[in-house]
Protein backbone atom coordinates (compact mmCIF):
# COMPACT_ATOMS: atom_id res chain seq x y z
CA UNK A 1 0.00 0.00 0.00
CA UNK A 2 1.33 3.38 -0.94
CA UNK A 3 1.64 5.98 1.79
CA UNK A 4 1.75 9.62 0.83
CA UNK A 5 3.81 12.22 2.67
CA UNK A 6 0.81 14.44 3.33
CA UNK A 7 -1.18 11.48 4.63
CA UNK A 8 1.38 10.33 7.17
CA UNK A 9 1.08 11.04 10.86
CA UNK A 10 4.36 13.03 10.75
CA UNK A 11 3.10 15.43 8.09
CA UNK A 12 3.80 19.15 8.43
CA UNK A 13 0.23 20.01 7.41
CA UNK A 14 -2.23 18.36 9.81
CA UNK A 15 -5.80 17.74 8.68
CA UNK A 16 -7.07 20.48 11.01
CA UNK A 17 -4.99 23.05 9.09
CA UNK A 18 -6.41 21.77 5.81
CA UNK A 19 -9.92 22.06 7.22
CA UNK A 20 -9.24 25.65 8.28
CA UNK A 21 -7.80 26.41 4.87
CA UNK A 22 -10.84 24.87 3.19
CA UNK A 23 -13.07 27.19 5.26
CA UNK A 24 -11.30 30.43 4.32
CA UNK A 25 -12.20 30.28 0.64
CA UNK A 26 -15.90 29.48 1.25
CA UNK A 27 -16.13 32.43 3.65
CA UNK A 28 -14.88 34.76 0.90
CA UNK A 29 -17.17 33.10 -1.65
CA UNK A 30 -20.14 33.44 0.71
CA UNK A 31 -19.68 37.19 1.06
CA UNK A 32 -19.09 37.59 -2.68
CA UNK A 33 -22.20 35.53 -3.53
CA UNK A 34 -24.38 37.65 -1.26
CA UNK A 35 -22.98 40.84 -2.79
CA UNK A 36 -23.48 39.64 -6.37
CA UNK A 37 -27.02 38.41 -5.60
CA UNK A 38 -28.01 41.77 -4.16
CA UNK A 39 -26.35 43.57 -7.08
CA UNK A 40 -28.16 41.43 -9.66
CA UNK A 41 -31.54 41.73 -7.91
CA UNK A 42 -31.25 45.52 -7.51
CA UNK A 43 -33.77 45.77 -4.64
CA UNK A 44 -33.39 49.55 -4.42
CA UNK A 45 -35.23 52.31 -6.23
CA UNK A 46 -38.58 51.71 -7.89
CA UNK A 47 -38.04 48.05 -8.79
CA UNK A 48 -41.51 46.57 -9.19
CA UNK A 49 -40.54 43.19 -7.70
CA UNK A 50 -39.68 44.78 -4.34
CA UNK A 51 -42.79 46.87 -3.71
CA UNK A 52 -44.04 44.22 -1.29
CA UNK A 53 -42.31 42.13 1.36
CA UNK A 54 -42.74 38.94 -0.71
CA UNK A 55 -40.05 40.12 -3.13
CA UNK A 56 -37.55 40.48 -0.31
CA UNK A 57 -38.49 37.06 1.09
CA UNK A 58 -37.94 35.47 -2.32
CA UNK A 59 -34.57 37.23 -2.60
CA UNK A 60 -33.59 35.94 0.84
CA UNK A 61 -34.57 32.38 -0.08
CA UNK A 62 -32.57 32.52 -3.32
CA UNK A 63 -29.54 33.85 -1.44
CA UNK A 64 -29.83 31.11 1.19
CA UNK A 65 -30.01 28.42 -1.50
CA UNK A 66 -27.07 29.94 -3.41
CA UNK A 67 -24.96 30.11 -0.22
CA UNK A 68 -25.82 26.63 1.07
CA UNK A 69 -22.73 24.87 -0.41
CA UNK A 70 -20.45 27.48 1.19
CA UNK A 71 -22.24 27.11 4.52
CA UNK A 72 -21.59 23.37 4.34
CA UNK A 73 -17.84 23.98 4.23
CA UNK A 74 -18.01 26.53 7.04
CA UNK A 75 -20.05 24.22 9.27
CA UNK A 76 -17.88 21.24 8.36
CA UNK A 77 -14.66 22.91 9.57
CA UNK A 78 -15.30 22.28 13.25
CA UNK A 79 -16.85 18.84 12.88
CA UNK A 80 -14.37 17.38 10.44
CA UNK A 81 -12.55 14.24 11.60
CA UNK A 82 -8.76 14.31 11.87
CA UNK A 83 -8.29 12.33 8.71
CA UNK A 84 -5.93 13.45 5.95
CA UNK A 85 -7.83 11.90 2.99
CA UNK A 86 -11.09 13.52 4.05
CA UNK A 87 -9.39 16.85 4.69
CA UNK A 88 -7.64 16.83 1.30
CA UNK A 89 -10.78 15.81 -0.59
CA UNK A 90 -12.70 18.52 1.28
CA UNK A 91 -10.06 21.10 0.32
CA UNK A 92 -10.16 20.08 -3.37
CA UNK A 93 -13.97 20.24 -3.33
CA UNK A 94 -13.84 23.67 -1.67
CA UNK A 95 -11.44 24.94 -4.32
CA UNK A 96 -13.58 23.63 -7.18
CA UNK A 97 -16.89 24.75 -5.72
CA UNK A 98 -15.75 28.21 -4.64
CA UNK A 99 -13.54 29.21 -7.55
CA UNK A 100 -15.89 27.68 -10.12
CA UNK A 101 -18.92 29.21 -8.44
CA UNK A 102 -17.40 32.67 -8.23
CA UNK A 103 -16.32 32.48 -11.86
CA UNK A 104 -19.80 31.50 -13.03
CA UNK A 105 -21.46 34.16 -10.87
CA UNK A 106 -19.11 36.85 -12.18
CA UNK A 107 -19.72 35.66 -15.72
CA UNK A 108 -23.51 35.86 -15.31
CA UNK A 109 -23.45 39.20 -13.48
CA UNK A 110 -20.75 41.20 -15.24
CA UNK A 111 -19.65 39.56 -18.51
CA UNK A 112 -22.67 37.96 -20.17
CA UNK A 113 -25.43 40.16 -18.81
CA UNK A 114 -28.80 38.66 -19.64
CA UNK A 115 -32.33 38.73 -18.28
CA UNK A 116 -32.01 35.04 -17.37
CA UNK A 117 -28.73 35.55 -15.48
CA UNK A 118 -30.49 35.24 -12.15
CA UNK A 119 -31.18 31.58 -12.87
CA UNK A 120 -27.55 30.93 -11.93
CA UNK A 121 -28.65 31.21 -8.29
CA UNK A 122 -31.04 28.29 -8.77
CA UNK A 123 -28.94 25.87 -10.81
CA UNK A 124 -25.36 26.53 -9.66
CA UNK A 125 -25.88 25.15 -6.12
CA UNK A 126 -27.19 21.90 -7.60
CA UNK A 127 -23.90 21.33 -9.40
CA UNK A 128 -21.92 22.49 -6.38
CA UNK A 129 -23.69 19.95 -4.17
CA UNK A 130 -22.91 17.23 -6.71
CA UNK A 131 -19.21 18.14 -6.58
CA UNK A 132 -19.28 18.15 -2.78
CA UNK A 133 -20.93 14.72 -2.70
CA UNK A 134 -18.49 13.32 -5.26
CA UNK A 135 -15.39 14.46 -3.41
CA UNK A 136 -16.79 13.49 -0.02
CA UNK A 137 -17.40 10.01 -1.42
CA UNK A 138 -13.87 9.90 -2.87
CA UNK A 139 -12.46 10.89 0.52
CA UNK A 140 -14.48 8.21 2.31
CA UNK A 141 -13.45 5.59 -0.24
CA UNK A 142 -9.80 6.62 0.04
CA UNK A 143 -10.05 6.40 3.83
CA UNK A 144 -11.59 2.95 3.60
CA UNK A 145 -9.01 1.60 1.11
CA UNK A 146 -5.80 3.24 2.32
CA UNK A 147 -6.69 4.11 5.89
CA UNK A 148 -5.81 7.41 7.52
Amino acid sequence: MARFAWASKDSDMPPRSLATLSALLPAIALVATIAVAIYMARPWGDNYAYQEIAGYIALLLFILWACSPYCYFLANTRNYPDSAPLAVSNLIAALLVCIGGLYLLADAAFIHIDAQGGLIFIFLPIYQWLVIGLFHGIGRLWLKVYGS
Side-chain angles (χ1 to χ4, degrees):
M1 252 188 253
R3 296 286 303 184
F4 298 96
W6 53 265
S8 70
K9 302 258 186 221
D10 301 328
S11 175
D12 291 339
M13 178 85 80
R16 185 61 53 198
S17 299
L18 291 176
T20 304
L21 184 62
S22 67
L24 181 63
L25 191 58
I28 294 168
L30 180 76
V31 172
T33 300
I34 292 170
V36 169
I38 292 172
Y39 169 77
M40 287 182 74
R42 293 182 171 87
W44 50 81
D46 59 350
N47 191 339
Y48 180 75
Y50 300 104
Q51 290 181 355
E52 295 180 6
I53 194 71
Y56 291 104
I57 292 172
L59 177 62
L60 178 66
L61 292 175
F62 281 123
I63 290 175
L64 288 174
W65 171 242
C67 292
S68 63
Y70 309 126
C71 293
Y72 166 79
F73 289 115
L74 294 174
N76 206 14
T77 302
R78 290 186 177 176
N79 302 328
Y80 220 74
D82 291 328
S83 159
L86 290 176
V88 169
S89 67
N90 197 38
L91 177 62
I92 293 170
L95 287 170
L96 288 173
V97 164
C98 295
I99 293 173
L102 288 177
Y103 171 75
L104 291 172
L105 284 176
D107 182 56
F110 306 114
I111 299 170
H112 295 106
I113 300 170
D114 190 88
Q116 288 79 26
L119 293 174
I120 192 80
F121 294 101
I122 296 173
F123 294 108
L124 180 63
I126 295 170
Y127 295 113
Q128 289 174 323
W129 280 112
L130 289 173
V131 169
I132 290 170
L134 175 73
F135 277 92
H136 189 72
I138 289 172
R140 290 282 177 193
L141 182 65
W142 190 317
L143 185 64
K144 189 174 188 178
V145 172
Y146 294 111
S148 62

